[in-house]
Amino acid sequence: MESRDRKKRIKRRLYHALLWIISLVFFSPILWMLICSFKTKDEILTIPPKWIFTPTLQNYIGLFHRINFTRELINSTFMSLSAVLIAVLVSFLAAYSFSRFKPKGTDLIMFILLSMRMVPAAAVVVPIYLLYAATGWKGTYSGMILFYAMFSIPFSVWILKGFIDGVSPRFDETAIVNGGSRMHIIFKVVLPQVRPGLIAAFIFNIIFVWNEFLFNYIIGGKRTITVPVGLAQGFTVGGGIQWEFVATLTAFYSLPLIIFIFFFQKYLLVGMTFGTVRGEV
Amino acid sequence: MDASSAMGPGDAGFLTRFREKFLFLENPKYLQHLLLVPVLIFFIVWNVIPLLWLVGLSFYKYVLVTGEPLKFIGLTNFKEIFGSFEIWHALSNTFFFVIIGTLSQTVLGIILGFLFWDSKDLPGRRFALTLIFTPMILAPLATGSFFKLIYDPVFGIVNYFLKSIAGVTIDFLGSTAWALPSVLIVDTWMWTPFMMMMTLAALGSVPKAELEAAEVENLSWYRRLVHVVLPHGKFILMLGILLRTIDAFKSMDIIFTMTGGGPGNATELIGITLYRQAFNAFTMGKASALAIIALLIAISFTSIYLYILQKKEESM
């Protein structure tokens, strides 16, 4: 009996080891990049690869000495936060209306909203570019933030409508009977109950805006440049690709998102399926 | 309850009047539309107007930089697109990319999902899952540029191993034969975790009682899959596959950095073609026509998605 138990335990250990190996295999390219970010330029390009080396922080220091990097970073942070916050707020109001009052055309608008997000970015950027060039919004902060907000609205509405549908209208009715105003119901009764939906919408859209490249490249300007665009433009300065720059920037820029998904792992599924699939992961 | 009743009658005057003036908004008849106003403004300014513009432009010859006046040419743009070898080539590349990519991600993702299904007691599970999920949240542009180094024929680590094991060097991104498969491998690496996540969700939707019954009856894994898991989880899996299809169809950033569509047009997907038409050749009319075709494809994908979603909700 005892040996059977032992066997079972060892099997379990092996199974756990396998899962960890798989996780590390998936992470290995990123790990390689992380290692490279602590190497000097010559060490990165040494073949066979140098497995043992003295780590240097020089690349990270150099990153902040680049002209524009601080600006790019501030832009990325400021624009993604404000765009997503605007989007989540207006989407929440719309989702409440769609969920509770079901105005005429709800299904159609929900459908078109979703379709717009399924179109290849290059197809969306053509008319937006023309619009922005004609109105002078090209390269302005408000133009970029509102555009990103627009891009975050469809999934936010979908995610939040799903969550509000899950809150029983009884709550609303009770509040009305007790003399609560609609604003009170929306912000004090419903909002706290859909917090997971708000977080999911926030996480999913911030991942998108934070990483976005094409739109900023086309309809942004010098002033509104973000880190991904800076990366695309900076990576071949002075002949040859600057690998230490690519590695360091990627490692640094990805860190906030990695921390995000560590803490908010359970919202990732809801976010990436815009609320249509929920469950434990 | 009421904020104004807590204050003295004097200073509440303005507030009360203000409130009364807008009291009609409490009426659902007005409120339902008022709540939609911000989203509708976004929708009209950034979706409807550009869309109409797009449709209009697709019937014109419009080259951005030459300053040539717009010229109405009817359906010529569409005819040119359907007659263009380049675009058919890009479309076939896209379908290859979408089908092979989605297929391998689905198969691998399902395998991984099943492996991780029983892992609730894995030490450091959250950390391990974060490691797995990281590829899909990195900026595609950054991933793409970094894989350029990994794939590099001289300095890349893949070629280092290849050379020490098999004694050959392959210029992955520079050869016509290898470029598309190499990009596909990166795409699969990025998105297999997504299908794994969907598989876990699908497995999670199977009632515990049925899983236990299958355990008691000692069903083979194949019969468990077909008779227990699939009836409950198939719609979630289908939604996952469809989302991957749509996303792969949209792929752009990653290819943009890794190959730029090249060498030649070996990795040219429809998104890249569209980009080149609009911002390298500046033929906005033709790009608009192509964008409309892409839009129609996207709308049909969305319809299928919603159809399956409806089925899923009916079955629950």
Side-chain angles (χ1 to χ4, degrees):
Chain A
M1 260 349 228
E2 190 128 298
S3 77
R4 208 161 138 199
D5 247 26
R6 237 179 80 118
K7 228 175 165 178
K8 222 175 174 178
R9 254 206 331 267
I10 292 174
K11 233 176 141 182
R12 200 74 198 158
R13 287 262 166 81
L14 285 175
Y15 167 68
H16 286 162
L18 174 72
L19 297 188
W20 263 102
I21 290 170
I22 294 173
S23 310
L24 286 171
V25 166
F26 263 89
F27 195 69
S28 57
I30 302 164
L31 191 67
W32 179 239
M33 176 185 74
L34 211 61
I35 292 172
C36 282
S37 76
F38 291 106
K39 287 180 170 181
T40 63
K41 187 174 186 150
D42 295 334
E43 279 168 343
I44 292 176
L45 297 182
T46 310
I47 285 290
K50 256 189 147 165
W51 299 107
I52 296 161
F53 61 97
T54 345
T56 164
L57 280 176
Q58 211 46 53
N59 294 333
Y60 286 90
I61 297 166
L63 201 58
F64 282 92
H65 282 295
R66 291 178 72 89
I67 347 162
N68 268 340
F69 179 71
T70 331
R71 157 167 239 152
E72 289 163 14
L73 196 62
I74 293 170
N75 277 346
S76 280
T77 314
F78 169 64
M79 296 203 312
S80 46
L81 282 179
S82 40
V84 174
L85 287 177
I86 294 173
V88 170
L89 177 70
V90 300
S91 304
F92 173 67
L93 296 177
Y96 181 84
S97 173
F98 282 141
S99 171
R100 288 299 190 260
F101 305 123
K102 296 183 183 61
K104 244 190 225 153
T106 297
D107 289 341
L108 182 70
I109 295 180
M110 293 284 285
F111 173 73
I112 299 176
L113 278 176
L114 196 59
S115 304
M116 285 299 164
R117 271 308 296 269
M118 304 303 194
V119 181
V124 181
V125 82
V126 173
I128 296 280
Y129 171 79
L130 296 170
L131 176 73
Y132 271 42
T135 51
W137 294 343
K138 189 177 174 303
T140 62
Y141 280 108
S142 45
M144 289 311 297
I145 290 172
L146 291 176
F147 173 79
Y148 282 139
M150 178 283 281
F151 226 68
S152 306
I153 284 173
F155 281 2
S156 307
V157 171
W158 269 84
I159 291 170
L160 290 166
K161 180 175 180 292
F163 275 85
I164 297 175
D165 283 343
V167 177
S168 162
R170 291 256 172 85
F171 286 102
D172 302 35
E173 285 154 21
T174 316
I176 290 180
V177 170
N178 288 327
S181 69
R182 277 286 173 180
M183 282 301 125
H184 176 84
I185 296 170
I186 293 174
F187 288 106
K188 290 278 165 64
V189 179
V190 175
L191 186 97
Q193 299 192 54
V194 297
R195 193 173 293 146
L198 295 168
I199 297 175
F202 181 80
I203 301 271
F204 174 76
N205 286 309
I206 206 121
I207 290 176
F208 174 79
V209 180
W210 184 254
N211 290 338
E212 205 286 317
F213 159 71
L214 184 70
F215 291 106
N216 200 290
Y217 186 61
I218 300 289
I219 60 173
K222 269 212 172 74
R223 238 152 51 87
T224 59
I225 187 169
T226 54
V227 176
V229 179
L231 172 66
Q233 289 174 350
F235 93 76
T236 49
V237 171
I241 301 172
Q242 296 182 301
W243 293 117
E244 78 286 4
F245 164 64
V246 173
T248 314
L249 186 78
T250 310
F252 180 78
Y253 196 60
S254 314
L255 197 65
L257 293 185
I258 297 178
I259 294 171
F260 257 9
I261 62 159
F262 179 77
F263 286 108
F264 298 108
Q265 213 163 68
K266 60 176 172 181
Y267 301 109
L268 202 59
L269 172 74
V270 175
M272 293 199 134
T273 56
F274 41 92
T276 54
V277 175
R278 266 182 259 174
E280 282 278 306
V281 168
Chain B
M1 284 316 264
D2 206 319
S4 58
S5 64
M7 287 183 245
D11 34 280
F14 170 72
L15 252 177
T16 321
R17 254 182 293 135
F18 186 77
R19 283 186 134 223
E20 269 163 11
K21 218 170 181 176
F22 287 96
L23 213 54
F24 74 94
L25 290 178
E26 287 286 305
N27 185 341
K29 214 170 103 192
Y30 301 107
L31 185 71
Q32 56 173 322
H33 299 296
L34 184 75
L35 291 173
L36 287 181
V37 167
V39 163
L40 285 182
I41 291 174
F42 272 104
F43 186 60
I44 290 166
V45 176
W46 278 275
N47 284 335
V48 178
I49 293 174
L51 188 65
L52 293 176
W53 202 327
L54 197 70
V55 173
L57 262 188
S58 67
F59 301 114
Y60 283 86
K61 183 176 166 132
Y62 180 38
V63 183
L64 204 58
V65 280
T66 55
E68 235 177 284
L70 280 162
K71 199 173 129 210
F72 185 80
I73 51 169
L75 287 172
T76 312
N77 282 326
F78 290 94
K79 277 184 203 145
E80 265 178 39
I81 286 170
F82 284 110
S84 152
F85 170 76
E86 196 193 323
I87 284 164
W88 282 108
H89 177 77
L91 267 178
S92 82
N93 268 352
T94 310
F95 281 112
F96 179 78
F97 184 83
V98 167
I99 291 168
I100 302 294
T102 307
L103 195 71
S104 41
Q105 288 149 28
T106 306
V107 172
L108 284 172
I110 288 177
I111 293 172
L112 285 184
F114 270 94
L115 267 174
F116 273 80
W117 171 228
D118 189 25
S119 69
K120 287 278 183 255
D121 60 338
L122 176 71
R125 183 175 190 269
R126 180 183 274 240
F127 196 66
L129 284 182
T130 305
L131 295 185
I132 291 195
F133 292 155
T134 300
M136 62 178 166
I137 57 142
L138 294 185
L141 190 93
T143 313
S145 43
F146 199 73
F147 264 93
K148 274 181 93 145
L149 175 61
I150 291 180
Y151 276 142
D152 195 278
V154 183
F155 305 118
I157 185 140
V158 176
N159 268 311
Y160 163 70
F161 285 124
L162 210 61
K163 197 160 187 188
S164 31
I165 295 166
V168 287
T169 301
I170 298 173
D171 186 1
F172 286 102
L173 298 175
S175 86
T176 334
W178 279 100
L180 196 54
S182 305
V183 174
L184 260 169
I185 287 173
V186 177
D187 194 66
T188 303
W189 168 72
M190 281 176 81
W191 292 107
T192 297
F194 174 75
M195 282 312 293
M196 168 190 156
M197 198 164 80
M198 295 302 278
T199 309
L200 285 173
L203 286 168
S205 73
V206 182
K208 287 258 172 352
E210 289 191 28
L211 282 174
E212 277 158 17
E215 188 72 37
V216 170
E217 285 180 33
N218 216 352
L219 291 183
S220 69
W221 68 268
Y222 173 76
R223 296 187 59 183
R224 273 183 217 199
L225 181 68
V226 174
H227 298 296
V228 183
V229 174
L230 279 186
H232 292 282
K234 68 176 175 219
F235 290 117
I236 294 183
L237 280 178
M238 280 158 82
L239 292 180
I241 292 170
L242 208 57
L243 272 182
R244 276 316 308 142
T245 308
I246 294 167
D247 245 27
F249 177 70
K250 284 165 49 176
S251 292
M252 166 104 202
D253 289 12
I254 185 116
I255 290 169
F256 198 82
T257 27
M258 283 179 75
T259 64
N265 53 9
T267 54
E268 176 133 346
L269 303 192
I270 199 73
I272 302 270
T273 314
L274 231 168
Y275 177 85
R276 281 190 184 168
Q277 292 284 351
F279 299 103
N280 289 352
F282 295 108
T283 45
M284 287 293 177
K286 204 168 162 191
S288 302
L290 196 53
I292 284 174
I293 295 171
L295 194 88
L296 291 177
I297 296 177
I299 287 177
S300 38
F301 278 142
T302 314
S303 316
I304 302 172
Y305 188 91
L306 292 183
Y307 175 75
I308 293 172
L309 187 64
Q310 205 185 351
K311 286 265 170 194
K312 172 192 157 225
E313 252 130 53
E314 280 165 12
S315 78
M316 289 272 162

